[in-house]
Amino acid sequence: QVFKLNFRATARPRAWGVPAQGGGGEGQMRRSSRLLQVPLCLVGAHFLLHLAHSLHGCVSVAFARLPRATPLPPQIVSDVPGTWAYDTMSRRVREEIVEKVVIGDNAGAAPFEAVKAEINALRDELSNAGSTALTHVPEAGGGPDLAAWRAIMEPHVTKGDTWLSAPWCVTEFYLYRRIAGILRYWSSGFDPFAQAKGAGLRSAVGSLDALAPRVLPVMASGDASGLFLSIALWGNRMDLSLWPAGANVASVAGAFQAVLDAAQEQLLADDTAAVEARLQALRARGGGIVDLIVDNAGFELCTDMLLADHLVASGAAKQVRFRVKHHPTFVSDALEVDVRSHIDELVAGGGDSARLARRWRQHLESGTWTLHADHFWAMPPAMWEMPETLYQELASSSALAVVKGDANYRRVLGDRPWPLDTPFADVASYWPCPVLCLRTLKAELGCGMAKPLTDRAAAADPSWLVNGRWGVVQHFAPDEPAATP
């Protein structure tokens, strides 16, 4: 057996850690993630305790990776009135998610009626979010991730955190895990958001029909990658949890053309050229495996499949692994069943959308596309805390990980408010493979955005950080040098 020690201390990012002067806390340290593996037979408990004491706590008995940007900001919490996080956890999740969608869309359905009292009790907790202490996810709801959730919630339960004082990312994911458990999702298969996702897909067919004849002729062209990236990015406008996200929605034929025309003006960071170069390099070597970390169902999922289709057809990808949620989350987040049902419904509907969907079905049947519902994608830990098995899988086989959407992006940043001009490469430095983030801004955090551009956005749009009208295309590869001294 091997004992793993992870050093985190004041040092150059790629150097071994040394104790910070005067001790210092995590926020005051320059972090590295060097791992020392020591055979257990060569060390003893007294040695480990002495080592930990001598390094002033800058050594942990866990394998962790941290961004090379410092200092590490604290996580966002939801107890500051006037912030988007506060509005979300003190009002929006109760009124717009639990009452309007979970209760409103499912009244009368047998799986819902059987547990209606439990849903009402959850709603009561949210009505008193600032004073209701968090509890562990009840075991009665079942699920393969109970042990992981117990570990996630333990420090917050022990501390007595409420829905507002705990980290925002924790409480949001926790809410949807509570809903899944109450509805006995793992035994019933009941998705309380199915109606909303179905409505989103039906409203998208008109725009997808209009889009299909434009994109099919260039599907296999390497020169069209920028177009497909832009389509996949601005598909985030169709996020059901913020529906409608703007004047143009998926149900309006031709609405997407206006989004594409305005795309460049609304981008606050644009690494499209670097991504195109990486894709071209992949084509030159016969293609690679691309991981697509999916966000929303509906029109956005269709634009994700358009991008995946293009990557395969143009030779950049020999396989695309769709990373989907393992239980209903954030109203519109895509499950494995959503990918398959979207394709089936589009094929059955005929029209130009069916021409695309038949291609997508063939990709699934041939194994060119595969679907993976790892538990990690529906949990709150920062992405630098991804399980070792997942980290190694990406490190050894992924030529590019495409991270879609705002909630996934928040986890890339650890749901922490970095200075907005902190280089993306310094925040995403822990990634085990090249990563591309396609995100429209729907939360009060970000990075990698030049100050003149954020100043322009703030002057033009007071809600620029949260309304989904502004976006970023950000890319990092592990071989890139540090962007800061």
Side-chain angles (χ1 to χ4, degrees):
Q1 298 183 44
V2 172
F3 190 84
K4 294 181 177 181
L5 301 178
N6 181 66
F7 287 84
R8 297 172 296 151
T10 305
R12 289 187 298 273
R14 299 184 185 278
W16 283 102
V18 296
Q21 293 296 320
E26 182 182 65
Q28 286 72 48
M29 297 178 187
R30 168 77 81 183
R31 287 159 198 81
S32 64
S33 56
R34 292 299 181 186
L35 180 68
L36 175 63
Q37 301 190 73
V38 185
L40 279 175
C41 62
L42 298 183
V43 300
H46 291 294
F47 166 77
L48 296 175
L49 290 172
H50 176 74
L51 180 60
H53 176 74
S54 66
L55 290 177
H56 298 274
C58 298
V59 59
S60 63
V61 187
F63 188 66
R65 303 164 187 90
L66 291 166
R68 64 191 178 204
T70 57
L72 192 68
Q75 281 191 291
I76 295 174
V77 294
S78 308
D79 58 358
V80 180
T83 63
W84 183 249
Y86 178 83
D87 184 56
T88 297
M89 297 312 303
S90 68
R91 180 195 65 81
R92 195 168 68 85
V93 293
R94 182 185 74 257
E95 295 179 2
E96 300 179 18
I97 307 302
V98 175
E99 294 177 355
K100 182 177 180 180
V101 181
V102 177
I103 296 175
D105 284 357
N106 298 289
F112 169 78
E113 293 297 336
V115 296
K116 184 175 180 179
E118 293 179 61
I119 292 292
N120 287 337
L122 177 61
R123 178 179 60 182
D124 291 343
E125 288 186 38
L126 294 170
S127 296
N128 300 283
S131 58
T132 301
L134 300 175
T135 60
H136 283 292
V137 173
E139 295 186 3
D145 55 357
L146 280 171
W149 267 105
R150 187 163 190 88
I152 289 169
M153 296 305 298
E154 182 63 32
H156 307 296
V157 172
T158 301
K159 185 181 176 183
D161 275 335
T162 70
W163 286 91
L164 300 188
S165 65
W168 177 27
C169 198
V170 170
T171 53
E172 271 202 298
F173 278 96
Y174 170 74
L175 168 67
Y176 292 99
R177 181 56 181 83
R178 286 278 303 276
I179 292 171
I182 289 172
L183 291 166
R184 310 305 191 264
Y185 173 74
W186 284 275
S187 58
S188 70
F190 183 72
D191 182 353
F193 309 126
Q195 286 192 43
K197 287 187 278 193
L201 176 61
R202 289 189 294 273
S203 72
V205 171
S207 288
L208 197 60
D209 279 340
L211 200 55
R214 294 176 52 228
V215 298
L216 280 167
V218 297
M219 188 69 74
S221 171
D223 294 333
S225 293
L227 169 66
F228 285 95
L229 290 170
S230 187
I231 291 173
L233 167 65
W234 295 112
N236 288 334
R237 288 280 186 98
M238 311 307 156
D239 184 342
L240 295 182
S241 69
L242 293 174
W243 192 278
N248 293 331
V249 297
S251 59
V252 181
F256 228 79
Q257 185 59 53
V259 175
L260 292 176
D261 290 344
Q264 189 63 38
E265 181 68 18
Q266 304 300 114
L267 279 178
L268 301 178
D270 186 8
D271 292 337
T272 300
V275 178
E276 290 174 323
R278 182 162 297 278
L279 296 177
Q280 194 56 39
L282 288 176
R283 295 183 188 102
R285 70 183 199 217
I289 297 175
V290 174
D291 287 276
L292 182 51
I293 302 166
V294 177
D295 191 32
N296 296 320
F299 188 53
E300 184 181 337
L301 177 57
C302 294
T303 65
D304 291 346
M305 291 191 283
L306 276 175
L307 175 60
D309 195 353
H310 164 71
L311 293 176
V312 171
S314 67
K318 59 185 179 183
Q319 184 183 54
V320 177
R321 299 185 295 211
F322 285 73
R323 305 288 185 167
V324 296
K325 300 297 192 295
H326 72 293
H327 69 75
T329 306
F330 283 97
V331 180
S332 55
D333 280 21
L335 309 173
E336 179 176 344
V337 67
D338 295 321
V339 177
R340 298 187 186 279
S341 66
H342 278 36
I343 292 173
D344 290 344
E345 290 184 35
L346 290 170
V347 169
D352 286 325
S353 295
R355 296 168 60 195
L356 291 169
R358 283 191 290 270
R359 293 172 58 93
W360 301 343
R361 177 181 283 173
Q362 179 57 35
H363 288 318
L364 282 176
E365 291 175 347
S366 68
T368 305
W369 289 2
T370 56
L371 308 177
H372 306 263
D374 309 275
H375 301 164
F376 180 70
W377 306 120
M379 290 185 167
M383 286 199 183
W384 58 73
E385 298 176 16
M386 70 175 66
E388 181 69 9
T389 53
L390 180 58
Y391 183 94
Q392 293 301 334
E393 180 183 17
L394 295 177
S396 63
S397 64
S398 185
L400 180 67
V402 182
V403 179
K404 286 297 307 296
D406 194 74
N408 287 329
Y409 185 89
R410 285 167 54 193
R411 294 182 64 202
V412 171
L413 273 59
D415 212 35
R416 298 170 186 268
W418 299 89
L420 295 178
D421 58 355
T422 303
F424 178 74
D426 284 355
V427 176
S429 59
Y430 60 88
W431 269 86
C433 64
V435 62
L436 163 65
C437 288
L438 300 175
R439 179 226 185 181
T440 53
L441 280 63
K442 297 175 185 173
E444 294 165 324
L445 79 170
C447 72
M449 299 178 288
K451 192 173 187 304
L453 295 180
T454 55
D455 286 346
R456 176 174 62 84
D461 183 357
S463 301
W464 69 280
L465 276 170
V466 299
N467 62 18
R469 296 178 181 274
W470 303 83
V472 295
V473 177
Q474 294 175 316
H475 172 262
F476 166 77
D479 55 359
E480 290 182 11
T484 56

